[in-house]
Amino acid sequence: GAVVSQHPSRVICKSGTSVKIECRSLDFQATTMFWYRQFPKQSLMLMATSNEGSKATYEQGVEKDKFLINHASLTLSTLTVTSAHPEDSSFYICSARDRGPYSNQPQHFGDGTRLSIL
Amino acid sequence: AQTVTQSQPEMSVQEAETVTLSCTYDTSESDYYLFWYKQPPSRQMILVIRQEAYKQQNATENRFSVNFQKAAKSFSLKISDSQLGDAAMYFCAWRSGAGSYQLTFGKGTKLSVIP
């Protein structure tokens, strides 16, 4: 089955540090990738939609300059949390959509990244 | 805007018994997909089952089945012969049949399985 690799799985760093999270589709090409944030005991909140070769589309209330998204190839999207602060601590999950022609294909999720800012 | 509602924050079931998780949604679109995802403590998102809105037949995957009532905009998940490994958060999700393929999630139901 389709596999999405998300790295790193866990990050602990000091306030003010920038953190990059990678999301790779390993055995398929993903024209579209999605980035979610999940607070404890809550649902997934879509942050942005990332399309290969174009600018990401951010959801309302998500700071574009804080959460930089790059989708430079059909298999890789990155989320950079710039100058991270404790309130940015959360669980971040990516998902990818296969570029195949069938609209009924589900999104494939990475295993998530637990970000802790001290 | 599309909304997905899961009215049961928590549910419990005895091992080997059957449990049904509720989900309702609101949309004006006629072409869409519905999903149930499982998120165990490891926090992986695992696709349990999916349903295409144009299909009248309810989807089934082994012990998991859905009751899809399109007119009522209801999409419940039935888990038969519950196992300890079924304990997890379950999220109902909706996606348009066209457009950006974004998922809209419900708030989730935490399922506990009692041995």
Side-chain angles (χ1 to χ4, degrees), chain A residues 38 43 49 103-104 106-107 111, chain B residues 33 39 50 95 101-102 106:
Chain A
Q38 186 179 30
S43 188
T49 301
S103 63
N104 64 349
Q107 293 181 20
D111 288 345
Chain B
Y33 301 88
Q39 189 180 42
R50 68 180 177 184
R95 173 170 79 72
Y101 297 88
Q102 293 177 3

Side-chain angles (χ1 to χ4, degrees), chain B residues 28-43:
Chain B
S28 58
E29 299 186 29
S30 58
D31 181 22
Y32 54 88
Y33 301 88
L34 295 162
F35 306 87
W36 278 98
Y37 282 91
K38 170 185 177 181
Q39 189 180 42
S42 65
R43 304 191 81 169

Side-chain angles (χ1 to χ4, degrees), chain A residues 32 34 36 38-40 42-44 46 49 59 91 93 97 103-107 109-111 114, chain B residues 33 35 37 39 41-45 47 50 52 54 91 95 97 100-103 105-108:
Chain A
T32 305
F34 303 89
Y36 298 88
Q38 186 179 30
F39 292 103
Q42 293 191 23
S43 188
L44 280 70
L46 180 66
T49 301
E59 295 301 301
F91 190 70
I93 312 175
R97 174 188 165 244
S103 63
N104 64 349
Q105 294 187 7
Q107 293 181 20
F109 284 85
D111 288 345
R114 188 183 304 273
Chain B
Y33 301 88
F35 306 87
Y37 282 91
Q39 189 180 42
S42 65
R43 304 191 81 169
Q44 286 178 295
M45 290 293 285
L47 178 64
R50 68 180 177 184
E52 291 88 342
Y54 62 85
F91 294 100
R95 173 170 79 72
S100 66
Y101 297 88
Q102 293 177 3
L103 287 170
F105 286 94
K107 291 188 175 182

Side-chain angles (χ1 to χ4, degrees), chain B residues 2-108:
Chain B
Q2 277 62 231
T3 58
V4 177
T5 302
Q6 293 179 250
S7 59
Q8 306 152 317
E10 295 188 23
M11 292 281 286
S12 63
V13 61
Q14 206 79 30
E15 195 176 4
E17 295 296 312
T18 296
V19 65
T20 298
L21 307 184
S22 301
C23 174
T24 58
Y25 59 94
D26 187 23
T27 182
S28 58
E29 299 186 29
S30 58
D31 181 22
Y32 54 88
Y33 301 88
L34 295 162
F35 306 87
W36 278 98
Y37 282 91
K38 170 185 177 181
Q39 189 180 42
S42 65
R43 304 191 81 169
Q44 286 178 295
M45 290 293 285
I46 302 166
L47 178 64
V48 175
I49 199 165
R50 68 180 177 184
Q51 175 82 41
E52 291 88 342
Y54 62 85
K55 288 188 177 179
Q56 292 187 339
Q57 187 174 8
N58 289 325
T60 299
E61 289 287 342
N62 300 315
R63 298 182 296 108
F64 299 88
S65 62
V66 298
N67 183 1
F68 174 47
Q69 300 291 325
K70 191 171 184 179
K73 295 180 181 176
S74 171
F75 182 62
S76 61
L77 174 69
K78 185 171 82 171
I79 306 174
S80 304
D81 185 26
S82 296
Q83 300 175 359
L84 295 177
D86 294 334
M89 283 291 291
Y90 285 82
F91 294 100
C92 178
W94 176 98
R95 173 170 79 72
S96 172
S100 66
Y101 297 88
Q102 293 177 3
L103 287 170
T104 299
F105 286 94
K107 291 188 175 182

